[in-house]
Amino acid sequence: MKKLIAIVFILFINSINAQVTFKPGLRAGAAFSTFSNTRSSYKSDFYIGGFGEIKLTRIYALQPEITYSRQGSNNVKTFVGYTNDGEEIVESKNLNIDYVSIAMINKFTFNGFQVQAGPTLDFRTRDNLRYEKSDADLALVVGFGYKVPLTGLTIEARIKKGLIDVIDSDYYSSNNNSDYLFGDYNTNVSFQLGVSYAFGK
């Protein structure tokens, strides 16, 4: 009985090892971003990065990624002060915030169609915010993809939702006018549409 269990275990380990493959790759595309709880417009920009696809089974792969993404929001109504008559002065500003993101994406592939999900840790590299609350952001990524047959090309669509308050809303909003009042909890929201390419057979 012990020999039979040992044989089954060895065969199981060998079958896993036979399935595991690694492919490096690149990914890039358009990013459409904003901040939650703000009356603003989406900012159109780009993302670019690399990844390593670790295929563990026929349908499941673990994909660590590192990505540079340009995010933010356009036409943010910003309270900047008062006139001599006591009226509020409001300006519309485009806010930019760039990140280097480290993600761990789980990919499930069924007949070329993919479901992608996982966490990402973003480190702020550049911004034009007057006051910010955090140098890093923790986000969740969910998306879908389609792997083009007989190629390493995959078409992807994702949404990335930040979990950390990244803006000092007391500076960027007025406490008196609900037309441009920020909420107290302003997180990154980004839609990504692009392609990825994995090298190797």
Side-chain angles (χ1 to χ4, degrees):
M1 184 65 180
K2 292 182 179 179
K3 290 183 179 180
L4 178 61
I5 293 175
I7 291 171
V8 172
F9 180 75
I10 292 172
L11 292 175
F12 174 73
I13 295 298
N14 287 336
S15 66
I16 291 178
N17 291 334
Q19 292 177 0
V20 174
T21 61
F22 174 82
K23 293 181 181 179
L26 300 173
R27 56 188 305 268
F32 309 95
S33 307
T34 189
F35 298 115
S36 66
N37 297 317
T38 61
R39 298 175 183 271
S40 56
S41 305
Y42 278 86
K43 176 180 182 286
S44 300
D45 222 303
F46 72 91
Y47 68 91
I48 187 169
F51 65 88
E53 182 189 70
I54 307 169
K55 189 173 182 180
L56 300 175
T57 70
R58 185 174 59 85
I59 66 170
Y60 173 69
L62 186 63
Q63 183 167 292
E65 300 176 352
I66 182 167
T67 304
Y68 172 70
S69 60
R70 292 169 59 94
Q71 299 176 201
S73 193
N74 286 344
N75 300 317
V76 180
K77 293 181 179 179
T78 304
F79 171 70
V80 295
Y82 294 94
T83 66
N84 293 332
D85 297 330
E87 296 182 358
E88 295 177 342
I89 303 173
V90 180
E91 294 180 355
S92 289
K93 294 186 177 181
N94 296 338
L95 302 183
N96 306 314
I97 184 167
D98 300 351
Y99 289 102
V100 170
S101 306
I102 299 174
M104 190 64 68
I105 303 299
N106 299 276
K107 293 200 315 184
F108 300 88
T109 304
F110 308 93
N111 296 322
F113 293 94
Q114 297 180 348
V115 177
Q116 307 174 1
T120 175
L121 183 60
D122 299 353
F123 298 95
R124 182 171 54 87
T125 60
R126 187 176 65 112
D127 69 81
N128 68 345
L129 304 182
R130 184 64 177 86
Y131 295 104
E132 65 279 334
K133 282 193 172 182
S134 176
D135 289 333
D137 189 18
L138 178 64
L140 296 177
V141 173
V142 176
F144 298 94
Y146 177 71
K147 186 175 182 180
V148 180
L150 304 178
T151 71
L153 188 68
T154 299
I155 302 169
E156 300 176 333
R158 294 180 177 180
I159 179 173
K160 184 172 78 169
K161 175 64 171 66
L163 303 178
I164 296 176
D165 188 2
V166 293
I167 302 178
D168 186 348
S169 56
D170 290 338
Y171 172 80
Y172 284 104
S173 64
S174 165
N175 293 323
N176 300 322
N177 192 329
S178 61
D179 288 340
Y180 54 91
L181 177 65
F182 275 34
D184 291 330
Y185 181 58
N186 309 116
T187 61
N188 286 300
V189 180
S190 183
F191 295 91
Q192 298 179 346
L193 180 61
V195 296
S196 66
Y197 184 84
F199 298 95
K201 297 182 179 180

